[in-house]
Amino acid sequence: MPLLLGCIADDFTGATDLANMLVKGGMRTVQTIGVPGRDGVAADADAVVVALKSRTIPAADAVAQSLEALAWLRAHGARQAFFKYCSTFDSTDAGNIGPVADALLDALGAKFTIACPAFPVNKRTIYLGHLFVGDALLSDSPMRDHPLTPMRDASLPRVLARQTPRRVGLVPWPVVARGAGSIRAAFDRLAGEGFAHAVVDAIADDDLMEIGAACADLALVTGGSGVALGLPRNFRAAGLLPERTDAARAPAVSGRSAVLAGSCSAATRAQVAHWASAHPAVAFDPFAGDAATVAARAIAAVEGDLAAGRPFLVYSTATPEAVAAVQDRLGRERAAGLIEEAFAIVARELVQRGVARLVVAGGETSGAVVQALGVEALAIGPEIDPGVPWTTSIGPRPLALALKSGNFGAEDFFAKSLAMLPPSR
């Protein structure tokens, strides 16, 4: 059966977030780790989400990887393409949202698309083109101090315009509030005036449903997972998608459990503190030596917990001031590379020693972990918190993985995640 929706995500946790949204909409969805190297990965899927690690790499590389993913999705029959990025529009003036969106438009022979990272249930809303995180403008939120993509401008039309030579317009909320017909008319007007991109306001899930309906005829949709909320309904209305009650299909996995946290977001810092107040936790020492040494020291610190089968946390999560101090001493790129490599080593060692259920916090960390473990694809299971489901790797040695965006999840997310699983054996 040909794919209905072919999705490209710029990081691994974002891909899982999108896959979760589509499953809740009744679409059988498979998440692949990178462009699949073989057929049959998604034989009966309605949607495939190709997870890339392209958010912070050079724009030319992000474009090349995204076009490769698009070619695979189109070869497997995808009727519509979706480019997924973070609900906080994580990017810099060099990209990668603008360059990738432009390249995908060209490859599809399309002239117009939208940009809508809104996710109201997680307090990401857009009003008059400005992105809010809760009650604060994006530029006044903790994202202003993100170590890789500091977001210090809340105006999405302005941010996107710095990343693309093409015209960027706006569909403001009063237009959105009048429904799909009004939104579609705004799309037609903007496209007719030569705009290639339109930032679309959304302050509630009802807005996202109407925006989704208005996007039914677009070759490419771009945004956060929230704007995908209305897309399954389009395929159902066209007679292409049956009603499903079995879209979530992640088999249970037994084994030991662990938590790995690399995000330095405010949400993950609170989650780390909550877990560490009652459970074993060990922090990486980035000054201990090379990645192998950093990883070895962390594993040695949890030996007792590992032997006893107690879940534990290994983390590099730190305050913005601590992160800045590490970057000043080691250099920004070296520090990031060391931490990712250390998490990759820890993940491989833990799985070799019987850990089969991992909660991972942070997009870059999740990417390092799943690549280190050789995961090719994920089946999507039950939702833990908005935007974060349990998944099960597809392959000869299944692993249960909860891949969490740094900004997502309640304070008790780590314990809540593990409590959803059957007792380990």
Side-chain angles (χ1 to χ4, degrees), residues 5 22 27 80 82 212 215 221 227-235:
L5 186 64
L22 297 173
M27 299 186 82
Q80 186 175 51
F82 190 105
C215 290
V221 179
V227 78
L229 188 66
L231 299 185
R233 186 173 65 176
N234 294 340
F235 296 115

Side-chain angles (χ1 to χ4, degrees), residues 13 16 263 265 267-268 271 359-363 366 387-388 402-410 413-414:
T13 57
T16 306
S263 170
S265 70
T268 300
Q271 290 157 357
V359 178
V360 189
S366 294
V388 194
L403 308 177
K404 183 192 83 72
S405 169
N407 292 304
F408 285 6
F413 179 85
F414 298 155

